[in-house]
Amino acid sequence: MSWDESFARRYEEWSAHMTEDVAFYVGLARESDGPLVELAVGNGRVAIPVAQATGRTVVGIDTSPAMLEQARANAAAAGVQLDLREGDMKDFALDEPAALVYCPFRALLHLPTWADRRRTFERAAAALQPGGCFAWNAFVFDHRIAAEYDGQHHDTPVPHTLRYDPADNRIDIALDDGGASSLWWATKNEWLGLIDVAGLELEALYGGFAGEAFTAESREYVFVTRR
């Protein structure tokens, strides 16, 4: 299972440390002339600042009713408009081509198979206007971190235990209070292959949200592609 709805109860705490990506995606949105779409919108952590910065409605897609309910409440509190839609990113379609589709906070890693990711990339490419942008970020798998963290209990950001399954490229996250989620990591060449089969073009691969060069020491993929 990729996502347990009970995880939603702790998501705000779980994601609170992630702030540096917001300015990056806001910057892409400001440069984009047309509709804006966030895949795996969650509680609106990124979509709300994007809407505030651009004055435009952000289409937010998520499979989780609980997360969409949080996004509605947060958007109302912030006084911004989000077009929130319950649905699977593998199957999303738009009435109007988008200028920007983005997927923050490593959410593409919730897709367990190559076929799932290929379908998502193909849908993203089909949803873009010519020259439109598809952007996302994901962690770089590090076997040393995996060896250190596997089976270990952590108290932050909320109490949880991580378990790594190398045979399946999978990390299982089990919260102490019962919430669970899984992530399937991917290599740089897998991401580049997905870009290629979807007919997208790589504009940039950064090693961080400040535009750092991607090097052997980078621990985050930050991809920007174009149709």
Side-chain angles (χ1 to χ4, degrees), residues 106-182:
R106 306 166 175 170
L108 286 172
L109 301 184
H110 287 297
L111 299 170
T113 70
W114 166 269
D116 292 333
R117 292 176 185 170
R118 187 196 71 237
R119 284 176 59 188
T120 301
F121 273 60
E122 289 171 346
R123 294 314 308 152
L128 290 172
Q129 62 192 29
C133 176
F134 178 38
W136 71 95
N137 65 283
F139 64 77
V140 178
F141 176 76
D142 187 325
H143 67 280
R144 294 163 296 188
I145 295 175
E148 178 183 354
Y149 283 9
D150 184 34
Q152 297 298 309
H153 183 268
H154 303 269
D155 291 323
T156 58
V158 297
H160 69 283
T161 300
L162 297 177
R163 295 198 180 278
Y164 286 75
D165 184 345
D168 198 33
N169 285 18
R170 192 182 77 244
I171 303 172
D172 294 324
I173 306 166
L175 304 187
D176 286 10
D177 63 6
S181 185
S182 295

Side-chain angles (χ1 to χ4, degrees), residues 8-9 24 40 44 49 70 91 111 121 163 168 178 181 188 222:
R9 296 195 306 266
F24 175 78
Q70 290 185 31
D91 303 312
L111 299 170
F121 273 60
R163 295 198 180 278
D168 198 33
S181 185
K188 182 176 76 171
V222 182

Side-chain angles (χ1 to χ4, degrees), residues 6-197:
S6 63
F7 203 100
R9 296 195 306 266
R10 307 301 298 272
Y11 181 81
E12 187 167 353
E13 298 165 83
W14 180 264
S15 63
H17 70 285
M18 177 55 77
T19 57
E20 60 183 335
D21 62 339
V22 174
F24 175 78
Y25 290 112
V26 165
L28 290 178
R30 282 176 166 156
E31 296 168 0
S32 301
D33 183 15
L36 308 170
V37 180
E38 181 174 330
L39 304 181
V41 69
N43 65 355
R45 180 186 64 86
V46 179
I48 290 170
V50 167
Q52 290 172 323
T54 63
R56 281 176 275 164
T57 299
V58 178
V59 176
I61 298 168
D62 207 296
T63 59
S64 168
M67 294 310 305
L68 290 171
E69 187 59 35
Q70 290 185 31
R72 288 188 189 94
N74 292 338
V80 300
Q81 184 74 29
L82 300 181
D83 179 357
L84 297 170
R85 307 179 185 183
E86 183 179 342
D88 194 319
M89 68 174 78
K90 301 191 302 292
D91 303 312
F92 84 97
L94 305 174
D95 297 329
E96 181 182 1
L100 171 65
V101 177
Y102 65 97
C103 188
F105 203 20
R106 306 166 175 170
L108 286 172
L109 301 184
H110 287 297
L111 299 170
T113 70
W114 166 269
D116 292 333
R117 292 176 185 170
R118 187 196 71 237
R119 284 176 59 188
T120 301
F121 273 60
E122 289 171 346
R123 294 314 308 152
L128 290 172
Q129 62 192 29
C133 176
F134 178 38
W136 71 95
N137 65 283
F139 64 77
V140 178
F141 176 76
D142 187 325
H143 67 280
R144 294 163 296 188
I145 295 175
E148 178 183 354
Y149 283 9
D150 184 34
Q152 297 298 309
H153 183 268
H154 303 269
D155 291 323
T156 58
V158 297
H160 69 283
T161 300
L162 297 177
R163 295 198 180 278
Y164 286 75
D165 184 345
D168 198 33
N169 285 18
R170 192 182 77 244
I171 303 172
D172 294 324
I173 306 166
L175 304 187
D176 286 10
D177 63 6
S181 185
S182 295
L183 301 170
W184 286 261
W185 67 81
T187 66
K188 182 176 76 171
N189 281 338
E190 287 176 300
W191 292 122
L192 294 174
L194 288 163
I195 293 168
D196 182 59
V197 298

